[in-house]
Amino acid sequence: MENKVELEVRGADENIARSIVESLRPEIESLPEACRGELELKESTLRVVVSCSRIGLLRAVVNSIISTISMLMELKAVIEG
């Protein structure tokens, strides 16, 4: 059985969206064998899809992705502060 999570980040400016994509690309490209993922950036919407055969593995991967997104958005807010 395949477990799947889709995340969307909307309304981020172009620079932060590109930063998020570039930060997540290595992680998506090196997912464990039991997982696969994709990144898509259209206009101001970033879409991340991750699926894994094991739910625990999916949870770990998604937590890491959410942490990266959150950190970059917080960093942007501090810089613009």
Side-chain angles (χ1 to χ4, degrees), residues 17-80:
R18 277 196 310 250
S19 294
I20 292 170
V21 167
E22 292 306 312
S23 296
L24 292 178
R25 182 168 283 127
E27 185 166 355
I28 294 296
E29 290 174 353
S30 65
L31 287 172
E33 187 175 300
C35 299
R36 57 177 193 224
E38 60 186 74
L39 294 169
E40 180 181 8
L41 180 58
K42 283 187 180 176
E43 298 169 18
S44 63
T45 301
L46 169 64
R47 185 170 166 261
V48 182
V49 180
V50 179
S51 58
C52 297
S53 60
R54 294 183 4 233
I55 192 73
L57 188 54
L58 178 63
R59 184 178 70 74
V61 170
V62 170
N63 282 343
S64 176
I65 289 170
I66 289 172
S67 293
T68 300
I69 292 170
S70 176
M71 184 259 317
L72 290 170
M73 295 179 90
E74 287 181 35
L75 180 61
K76 179 184 182 280
V78 168
I79 289 171
E80 290 180 344

